[in-house]
Amino acid sequence: MSERKFKRIILKLSGEALAGDQGFGINPQVVEPLAQEIASLSKESGIEIAIVVGGGNIWRGLSGSAKGMDRASADYMGMIATVMNAIALQDALENAGVATRVQTAIEMQEVAEPYIRRRAIRHLEKGRIVIFAAGTGNPYFSTDTTAALRAAEIEADAILMAKKFADGVYDSDPKTNPNAVKFDELTYMDVISKELKVMDATSTTLCKDNHIPIVVFSMDIPGNITRAAKGEAIGTIVK
Ligand code: UDP
């Protein structure tokens, strides 16, 4: 079954992935099993894992928690929100027995390492999980852009987009259209020209230019992160 072989991956988790059913905040009962799965994957498979975590469960600047606020200020708040998620995830991963480093794109030395590309790669080579926090450090971007940028920088073999409430990419919204068709495979151009909801256009273009495959799959089924990382053909692959 294993048609894709990934040695180093970026796992993109939205902030929502750490929240409970209410979609807000950090729920330890959600984070713990998630961390256990990622830790086991790291220890058992030897796949190098870097995680980009979002912040939408705490604050979303880009699409506006903050109507009327200065856009850049709201975005900086969003980036800081991702750091809180990263620390929660680090704590849970270390409880699950795997060494973890958080690197932030906005310096906060007392809390985490600054993002240093070569150092991140070294951590990965040593089997540590690296969590990239504070997005790209720039307003007007998203954590999807961060995933694409970091994947290019560390030469990841793929970005795994673990989704809540979606098991792949469809031609229309399966929640409103019962006849929506799921794609097994797409090209970057399909995603851009059809405006399919995989990641934003900036991120998709970055992946296209750097030949980074994107696997979109559901994280609502336990074990799916492991399946996607081991190359099982689940969800939708964009390449
Ligand atoms: N953000 C930003 N620049 C970045 C990454 C994130 O300004 O490089 C801000 C942006 O306001 C975004 C928020 O951080 O809305 C949280 O990230 P995102 O919405 O991507 O998180 P997710 O939807 O994955 O939880």
Side-chain angles (χ1 to χ4, degrees):
M1 277 293 280
S2 220
E3 54 179 49
R4 311 162 187 163
K5 272 261 172 278
F6 306 136
K7 194 175 158 294
R8 178 178 293 164
I9 56 160
I10 293 259
L11 175 64
K12 166 70 210 301
L13 298 173
S14 65
E16 208 182 17
L18 309 187
D21 291 337
Q22 78 285 13
F24 187 82
I26 300 169
N27 184 337
Q29 279 160 0
V30 172
V31 180
E32 197 186 293
L34 174 65
Q36 273 166 359
E37 181 176 350
I38 299 168
S40 305
L41 170 66
S42 166
K43 285 187 278 189
E44 285 162 20
S45 72
I47 295 170
E48 295 175 14
I49 305 168
I51 302 174
V52 170
V53 67
N57 56 323
I58 299 170
W59 184 265
R60 195 182 292 281
L62 198 68
S63 51
S65 297
K67 286 215 165 60
M69 242 186 111
D70 168 61
R71 166 72 189 269
S73 302
D75 279 348
Y76 279 115
M77 290 175 68
M79 287 184 266
I80 292 165
T82 72
V83 180
M84 293 178 64
N85 284 335
I87 293 167
L89 202 53
Q90 174 177 44
D91 184 78
L93 284 167
E94 300 216 318
N95 282 335
V98 63
T100 308
R101 296 290 184 273
V102 175
Q103 291 200 341
T104 59
I106 296 171
E107 264 196 59
M108 41 184 98
Q109 288 187 63
E110 288 76 5
V111 176
E113 290 179 11
Y115 171 65
I116 299 170
R117 177 180 158 268
R118 297 176 73 109
R119 197 158 172 188
I121 291 171
R122 191 76 194 115
H123 289 319
L124 292 170
E125 287 169 349
K126 287 185 175 172
R128 297 173 184 143
I129 293 178
V130 180
I131 305 171
F132 294 124
T136 61
N138 302 292
Y140 297 93
F141 288 93
S142 67
T143 49
D144 286 354
T145 334
T146 312
L149 175 65
R150 296 291 183 247
E153 288 185 275
I154 67 166
E155 297 179 20
D157 300 313
I159 297 175
L160 308 188
M161 302 274 294
K163 294 279 189 191
K164 297 279 286 178
F165 317 117
D167 64 352
V169 185
Y170 287 77
D171 62 350
S172 55
D173 188 348
K175 285 186 202 109
T176 51
N177 178 7
N179 300 319
V181 178
K182 189 175 121 195
F183 298 106
D184 292 330
E185 209 172 299
L186 285 165
T187 65
Y188 303 105
M189 280 318 291
D190 289 332
V191 174
I192 295 165
S193 63
K194 295 182 182 142
E195 294 184 9
L196 297 170
K197 288 191 179 66
V198 175
M199 43 170 46
D200 53 61
T202 313
S203 320
T204 311
T205 307
L206 209 51
C207 288
K208 174 176 173 287
D209 291 347
N210 295 289
H211 314 286
I212 304 159
I214 310 159
V215 183
V216 183
F217 65 99
S218 163
M219 60 174 290
D220 298 319
I221 299 165
N224 256 6
I225 293 175
T226 307
R227 287 183 201 103
K230 289 187 174 169
E232 254 183 61
I234 59 168
T236 303
I237 187 162
V238 184
K239 56 184 186 177

